[in-house]
Amino acid sequence: NFRTKLKKGRGRPMTMDEDAASALAERLANGETDEPEQPKETKAEKRAREAIEWTDREVRKLIAEVKKRGTPGADGKPTVTFGLMFEETGNVFEALSGTLKTAKKIGVVAFEGDLLLQGQHNNVVITLLKTEIPDSTAETYQRKTKTSQAALEASLAKAKGGFGSESLRNSMPPCHICGKTVY
């Protein structure tokens, strides 16, 4: 019976027949591994990986440029104004403001505001916080969204009830001839 066979087999080490053992030895000798093959990268995954690598290169270029052009601040960390960076690195960065925003998000630089614009923010001081960054993963640059419970409930209520009592249907007078609502 099946159960007695299971009980009898307990405690004995599993053995491999000679054919299977020699086939495994031959595969390992040819450089194959016994591990399952990794799935190939999709086009979307490749684009995402390349974008992450490009962003890392841009942030590393930013670090180098701030070190090169900056002067030591009160805390000894390199600082530079946005106007100076914009003028002197115009041909270095494709999108200096975007690179700064990303670098701020991952804790590489600090400055007041969210997005720096030429002219308007020329005197904003950029402080370098980190002099190097590790290679990033997809999780590093994923956008974190904060949805409050109240905002979620408001969104659901709007979806259920349409426009609610402030609807155009309720605020517009009906046609005096046919009685239909005129928008």
Side-chain angles (χ1 to χ4, degrees):
N1 125 358
F2 180 72
R3 291 183 185 191
T4 57
K5 286 181 182 177
L6 281 177
K7 288 180 183 176
K8 287 180 184 176
R10 282 192 194 151
R12 289 189 298 183
M14 200 171 119
T15 59
M16 189 182 296
D17 64 25
E18 288 182 27
D19 292 334
S22 64
L24 176 63
E26 187 176 326
R27 282 198 332 260
L28 293 174
N30 290 335
E32 295 180 32
T33 64
D34 206 17
E35 296 175 14
E37 201 173 303
Q38 294 295 323
K40 290 192 175 186
E41 186 176 59
T42 65
K43 287 182 181 179
E45 291 168 336
K46 181 182 177 191
R47 283 193 302 269
R49 180 184 45 77
E50 288 171 350
I52 290 166
E53 290 169 357
W54 179 84
T55 303
D56 280 353
R57 281 193 306 274
E58 290 294 302
V59 171
R60 287 184 178 111
K61 279 197 297 189
L62 178 70
I63 291 170
E65 293 296 330
V66 172
K67 280 184 188 178
K68 180 178 170 182
R69 289 163 175 41
T71 57
D75 56 0
K77 295 178 180 175
T79 61
V80 65
T81 62
F82 176 69
L84 179 70
M85 278 292 288
F86 194 90
E87 287 174 16
E88 294 188 8
T89 62
N91 295 327
V92 176
F93 295 102
E94 290 181 39
L96 177 60
S97 293
T99 303
L100 283 165
K101 186 174 182 174
T102 300
K104 181 178 181 179
K105 180 180 172 184
I106 60 173
V108 173
V109 296
F111 55 85
E112 285 189 35
D114 290 325
L115 184 67
L116 302 178
L117 303 173
Q118 181 188 16
Q120 185 176 342
H121 298 111
N122 282 352
N123 295 325
V124 173
V125 175
I126 301 165
T127 304
L128 186 64
L129 302 176
K130 294 180 183 176
T131 57
E132 57 185 43
I133 59 167
D135 289 338
S136 300
T137 64
E139 289 77 33
T140 306
Y141 295 110
Q142 255 181 355
R143 209 163 88 174
K144 309 275 189 283
T145 57
K146 297 177 184 175
T147 305
S148 68
Q149 186 64 29
L152 183 60
E153 288 171 4
S155 174
L156 289 173
K158 197 176 215 181
K160 285 181 183 174
F163 291 103
S165 63
E166 288 78 39
S167 171
L168 290 175
R169 181 179 299 147
N170 297 330
S171 66
M172 302 299 289
C175 173
H176 69 284
I177 297 172
C178 65
K180 291 182 180 179
T181 303
V182 180
Y183 294 103

